[in-house]
Amino acid sequence: SLSALNAVLRQFRQSGFLIPSVLTCVLWFNGHYPQVPGWGCPFRALPGIPCPGCYLTRATSAAFTGDLHRALEFHLFGPMVAAALLCWSFMDWRMRRLVPMRFALAPLSIVASAFSLYWLLRLVLSYGFGVVGSPSFPTTG
């Protein structure tokens, strides 16, 4: 019913600011207990190539445990995502809003472009030259 949906949306608006903190805790836990199973990348399962975010979860979890070397081996953006998630969690707790501020389009597009270029570089190095771009990338030949 519509009133039930409105109640759920109202509750989400009131407590949605907790999502970044919960995600931070889950990733921290995953970093300390990597044997806990997770889920695989659905993109990689379909075409067989890694997506731009493959191993980003493990890299972020490693960064939360302080293992920056391992984090960078998994994904270059892992430590940056961990830092951004910590900042986001802190700002959400202070402002009690899921999106505590407005984002400018230019910096977001620069980050998205860098993320895409990094992904393409990993693909070219892995599949084009047989250099392992990350633990998730198989070598060719």
Side-chain angles (χ1 to χ4, degrees):
S1 80
L2 193 54
S3 63
L5 178 61
N6 283 334
V8 169
L9 289 174
R10 190 172 28 260
Q11 183 66 31
F12 181 75
R13 260 186 261 124
Q14 293 172 353
S15 59
F17 73 94
L18 296 171
I19 292 172
S21 298
V22 169
L23 183 57
T24 300
C25 290
V26 167
L27 291 171
W28 176 87
F29 182 84
N30 189 21
H32 286 284
Y33 302 98
Q35 65 274 17
V36 175
W39 57 86
C41 174
F43 182 85
R44 185 172 182 201
L46 293 175
I49 61 168
C51 77
C54 270
Y55 276 70
L56 185 57
T57 303
R58 291 181 190 196
T60 306
S61 294
F64 279 137
T65 64
D67 191 351
L68 294 181
H69 183 265
R70 195 169 113 232
L72 292 171
E73 281 182 351
F74 281 126
H75 200 289
L76 182 67
F77 283 77
M80 290 178 268
V81 169
L85 197 52
L86 284 173
C87 290
W88 186 20
S89 298
F90 177 73
M91 289 175 18
D92 279 0
W93 273 98
R94 286 191 61 217
M95 301 177 108
R96 301 280 195 234
R97 294 180 56 202
L98 180 59
V99 182
M101 64 179 167
R102 293 184 161 266
F103 292 97
L105 188 57
L108 287 178
S109 61
I110 291 170
V111 170
S113 297
F115 195 77
S116 299
L117 288 173
Y118 174 65
W119 175 56
L120 290 173
L121 178 65
R122 290 168 65 190
L123 287 176
V124 167
L125 288 176
S126 179
Y127 292 105
F129 297 102
V131 176
V132 177
S134 79
S136 66
F137 285 35
T139 56
T140 56

